Each structure stands twice: as C-alpha cells, then as structure tokens.
Amino acid sequence: MKHRWGRIVLAWALVLALLSTGAAVPGTVQAADPPAGYVLSYFGGVPYDDSLHLAYSTDGLNWTALNGNQPVFRPAIGTKHMRDPYVGRKQDGTFVLLGTDNWNSEYIMVYDSADLIRWTNGRLVRMNTNAMHTWAPEFFWDAAKGQYGIIWSGNTDRNRTYVNYTSDFKTVTAPSVYYDPGYDVIDSHIHPWNGTNYLFFKDERSTGTTPKSILAARSASLTPGSFSVYTGAITETGTEGPFVIKSRSENRWYLYADYYSRGGVFGAWTTTDLASGAWTKLASGTFTLPAGVRHATAFEVSQSELDRLKAAKWGPYRLQSHNYPDRYIRHSGETMRIDANVAPLEDSQYRIVPGLADPKAVSFESVNQPGTYLRHYNYVLKQQANDGSAAFKGDATFTMTAGLADGAKVSLRSYNYPDRYIRHYNYELVLQPVTTATDKADATFSLVYP
C-alpha cells in the first residue's frame, strides 16, 4: 500500500462539490462560489515526508504544488507520521482531514479546518479493537443514515474494507465489513455518479493475470455489502491508492493510481462512460503531478478557496547544511552564507513560494525582508528585492531535487542554469556544476522548521 519515496515518496480522497447533474457528491457540499478547480492532497514530496501536502489544478490533469511541494501541515499527534491524507468537505462546508497513523495503528488522525490552511482540534479516533492496521481512511455522506461513513482498509486473516459511522468525527460506531469480494483488497475509494456509487479498489493479491492492480465495483446504494465487481484490471500491476475525478469541461473522468514501487510516479486513465468499465491509459506527458506524490486524492474547490490557497504562506523553513549541520543558509546584507548561531534567527528563515519564473519550481522569500528573494548573480547567491524583471525571476527560481549526497534531503538546481546547483564554498553560497562527492555534500541541505 504505502512505500517510501525512492526508498526514497498527499489517503486521500475525492471531493466533488457539484456534479454536472446538479447532485452533490456524498460527503461534500457545494462551495459558496462556483467550482473552479481541484486540490490534490498527498504525502511524500521531495524530500519524502509523512505530512499533508497540497497541489491544485484547473483542468484535472496538470497539477502545481502549493508551498513549493513542502508540507502545508505536520501532525503533532500519534506517531506524528501521517500517511494517506484525505480531505473531505462536510455538510456545513468546512473540511475534515483524515490520515493513517503511520503503519500499524488502530487509530486514525483527524483534524478540522474552515479554510484548508489552519488545521485544528487534532485527535486520534480508534476505529477497531482487533489489532488491525487502519489504512487509507476516506469518508462519504450517507443521506439515508444521516451520518458520515468512514471507510478504511483493515486486516485480520486478510485485508477488507471496513466502515464506521459518525456524526462528529469524534465518536464512531463499531466497525463492520463494508466491501469484501472474497480476496485481499485495500485502498477503497467511492465516486458517486448519476444514481450509481462506483467503488475503486486495489486487488491486493499477489497472483493472477494482473495482481496488485485497480478494479471497480458498483452499487445503487451505499449499503455495506451491496457492491459487486464489474471490471477486470483497469490499471497495471504495481498500482494502488486510486482516486477518480470528473472533467469540469466535458463528460469525461480521470482515474489516477500510484505506481508504489517507483517512488512518486503516478499513472492516469480516462473514460467517457463510467458504467462501461472501459478505461484508456493516458500517455506520459499529457498530465503532470508534483515530484514525489504518494497516495493522492482530489476534491473540488471554488475560485475564492483556490485563490486563498495560492496566496497562503506556509513555513517558515531553514536550510541546514548537510556536511556542516550546525550551520544554516542565512542572509547578511545581500551576502548569502552558511553560519552557526544565526542572530537574529529570522535571517535564516524563508518562505517557500511557487517559483517566480515557473510555478512548478520554487523561490525562497525572506521572512524578515519580505519581497526579497534568494537569487544568483554572476554565479554568486544574494538576497535581493524582486525588481519584476524576467532575469530576476529566472535567477530566483530553483528546482528542488532529492539531495545529491542524501536522498532524504534536498538539493537546489538553478532554473535558468540547470547544470548548476546552489552549494557552499568557504561558507559562502555559489552556483556551480556538481561532480565530486565533496561538491554533492556541499550542495545538499535539510529543510527544517525553526
């Protein structure tokens, strides 16, 4: 189900606030403004991180990471490792975040938010007392029951999909089996459409013609035990964590699935007829996701919600030297160095924002000198005010990659000189090609909270 990025890489789920038929998807309500795009929730990123990450898209195919592909929220409860994060909209328009508490917990992580930026009321909710893992939680609104159903993957003799019902995401009913085709299944995801509920899941068996792939079942109701498989393998072997969204511009759906052994690589499939069960794989390059995305899901948002997320400033972060861990990148006037005992601390704090020259890359804005950015000039790094020029934007934009000396950390490749990386030399920051082991160590950093 969940495997580390690369090892070394946002469960989460679908929320469609308004369907073209005008019927709201269970578990969601229409946003105050007309829907304008989607937000992707996932864990992973670069470097790999068990926290909440977000990205956005207006077409459902091309996704731009928020906060420079860094976590927008880190849980402080349970194991503090949130996997499979799922965001859903409640009937009152606010949001709930569910997450797997690392690997083997009977509990899930739960947080509340009114704006997708501030997450509060963190709590662990116990889903079973049978020592089962509680993987990939998602929820839906069951109008017939007047409650939310939380589905998740658990195992006794084998894996099944279970459900607990709740009104407040604080207390839940005892678990019952929700979906069990007679063999191991995990990562169930529900997509209602036109009076039918479609359930996409991972066939967890290791045998058969297409093991470890995504199949679909369907039901006219949301009643446990009512779903029947109606497709063969939709995806290839080695996929998990499916989610489905509908195109906002045409009668078309997209199914995404995580190639879990490839470290943050997704595939996408499309259909114009959900009932047929026939899906076509999209060619590489026809869709894009942020690097390192793991077990993602998506939900629909309004224009005002999307604008608020794009304008949000998460962080701040510090960049810690890999080979001089007592030293951090800091500005001193316009000069950029790695120093120990930085004072004031804010000289070493940065907000990671979408790249000034390319929103799929990143730029680093000073916390105590807002409007100034880390940029290179004649291959020397400086802290300077954004003059709005194309040259400045290119100089202040970097691609965040896995650390050259340690894949769990980061390296920063120049956007306009992609053969060069930020590295320190005599404690000052320069932009140079990186070839030797020493170069790679000098060009590797940890992103840390203050």
Side-chain angles (χ1 to χ4, degrees), residues 32 40 53 73 203 223:
L40 189 78
H53 296 242
F73 176 71
D203 179 347
T223 304

Side-chain angles (χ1 to χ4, degrees), residues 246-327:
K246 186 182 181 299
S247 168
R248 298 180 54 252
S249 60
E250 58 178 318
N251 201 52
R252 178 176 296 280
W253 288 261
Y254 301 112
L255 180 153
Y256 286 87
D258 184 347
Y259 287 107
Y260 55 84
S261 64
R262 300 189 193 179
V265 176
F266 265 65
W269 291 258
T270 187
T271 187
T272 57
D273 184 2
L274 275 179
S276 73
W279 294 79
T280 301
K281 185 177 181 180
L282 292 178
S284 176
T286 59
F287 63 97
T288 59
L289 291 95
V293 172
R294 302 309 316 271
H295 202 118
T297 60
F299 56 98
E300 200 163 38
V301 293
S302 69
Q303 188 64 59
S304 62
E305 289 170 334
L306 184 56
D307 290 344
R308 183 170 63 239
L309 284 170
K310 291 165 69 174
K313 294 183 181 296
W314 286 280
Y317 294 93
R318 303 177 78 196
L319 286 154
Q320 179 185 35
S321 171
H322 167 70
N323 48 0
Y324 292 89
D326 63 329
R327 292 176 177 263

